Amino acid sequence: MRKFLLLSVGLLIASLSPAYSELDELAAVKAYEEIQEANMPDAGEKVANDLLRDRVLDKKNRVIGEVNDVILDKNGAIVMLDVDFNRLHNQTNSVLIDYNDMGVVPSTNGYKLNYSDGEIERLMPSMLDNLDTAGGKYYNSNKLSISRLKGQKIYNSQGDIIGEVTDVVFDTLGSYAKKLYIALSDKTVSGKKVAVPFRSINSDVQKLMVSDGAAQAMLKYAQTGK
């Protein structure tokens, strides 16, 4: 029954585009399956606002600051944190730190760094010296800021707007982004929100895009709700 339903979905999606090939149809079915899974409820998930202003701790579990922003790669893995070190003596309200270099570990009470507060204070001048380089690396690439993702338009391959990002969803600890919620713009389902896997989004400096198969699968899921 499940295979029949998915095949029917594939045929319906394919019928919307006469240029579809068999491979396109299979891709559309796979995209629909992934969207079905993404829209299943999960009580353990965190949304973007849970991470913004989350606590930053040193290796002795002392609170030393809070998160301004989280920077992701194209697969949803965290590569940088923008941190307000407001609990240190030399308070600095925005420092981009490398997630791996600082040995960051997500936990139930915040993001833990592999340095003591004193070590971080001693490292601060060099961290600030590298701020422009890190910022350039962040702003001039396909890395994504969760604070900037909300409200971004999503396009198909023809450049048509298919929706707008309303939220970013993470796993229980906030260690990686699992999916995005997108409010669709098609008039038949205008404003209806559909979750899509984070990895299905292709990004460049200018725009966020999904494949045509994924775009049609999102629309079909919004229309059928199953």
Side-chain angles (χ1 to χ4, degrees):
M1 181 66 181
R2 175 178 169 79
K3 287 185 178 179
F4 176 77
L5 174 61
L6 291 172
L7 179 59
S8 299
V9 168
L11 292 171
L12 284 168
I13 292 173
S15 70
L16 298 174
S17 176
Y20 253 48
S21 68
E22 186 176 347
L23 286 176
D24 292 325
E25 185 181 319
L26 290 172
V29 170
K30 183 180 179 182
Y32 193 85
E33 284 186 299
E34 291 177 343
I35 286 169
Q36 279 186 310
E37 184 177 350
N39 283 274
M40 293 177 65
D42 187 340
E45 295 173 336
K46 285 187 171 185
V47 296
N49 283 345
D50 294 329
L51 274 63
L52 299 176
R53 315 317 302 180
D54 204 355
R55 299 188 301 176
V56 176
L57 308 102
D58 73 358
K59 67 181 181 181
K60 297 180 180 179
N61 285 319
R62 290 178 294 217
V63 178
I64 55 175
E66 58 186 30
V67 176
N68 290 327
D69 203 354
V70 178
I71 315 305
L72 308 167
D73 68 13
K74 63 181 181 179
N75 296 313
I78 300 175
V79 291
M80 295 184 206
L81 292 178
D82 183 336
V83 178
D84 181 354
F85 285 107
N86 53 17
R87 302 292 184 90
L88 297 181
H89 293 124
N90 51 348
Q91 295 182 11
T92 308
N93 62 12
S94 182
V95 178
L96 280 171
I97 64 171
D98 188 285
Y99 196 78
N100 293 319
D101 288 351
M102 296 299 288
V104 181
V105 177
S107 64
T108 54
N109 59 345
Y111 289 95
K112 185 176 180 180
L113 278 56
N114 192 32
Y115 291 86
S116 68
D117 55 355
E119 289 171 330
I120 292 170
E121 287 183 338
R122 288 192 290 275
L123 285 169
M124 190 63 69
S126 61
M127 291 164 67
L128 292 172
D129 285 344
N130 292 330
L131 186 59
D132 289 340
T133 302
K137 182 180 176 183
Y138 154 37
Y139 289 115
N140 298 319
S141 71
N142 62 357
K143 293 178 177 59
L144 300 167
S145 149
I146 66 169
S147 67
R148 296 185 178 193
L149 269 172
K150 293 176 72 171
Q152 290 289 309
K153 305 296 184 186
I154 302 291
Y155 298 82
N156 63 16
S157 65
Q158 284 78 45
D160 302 318
I161 296 172
I162 61 170
E164 180 178 299
V165 177
T166 62
D167 217 338
V168 189
V169 180
F170 288 74
D171 67 315
T172 304
L173 293 177
S175 55
Y176 69 96
K178 295 172 61 176
K179 58 192 179 185
L180 300 173
Y181 273 99
I182 297 172
L184 300 181
S185 56
D186 187 276
K187 62 183 180 181
T188 63
V189 289
S190 181
K192 188 163 185 177
K193 296 177 184 177
V194 174
V196 299
F198 191 94
R199 64 181 180 276
S200 67
I201 302 295
N202 298 312
S203 63
D204 58 30
V205 176
Q206 282 75 38
K207 61 178 63 174
L208 303 176
M209 299 177 63
V210 294
S211 68
D212 291 340
Q216 295 291 358
M218 290 162 61
L219 178 59
K220 194 63 191 174
Y221 183 87
Q223 291 171 337
T224 62
K226 60 182 180 179

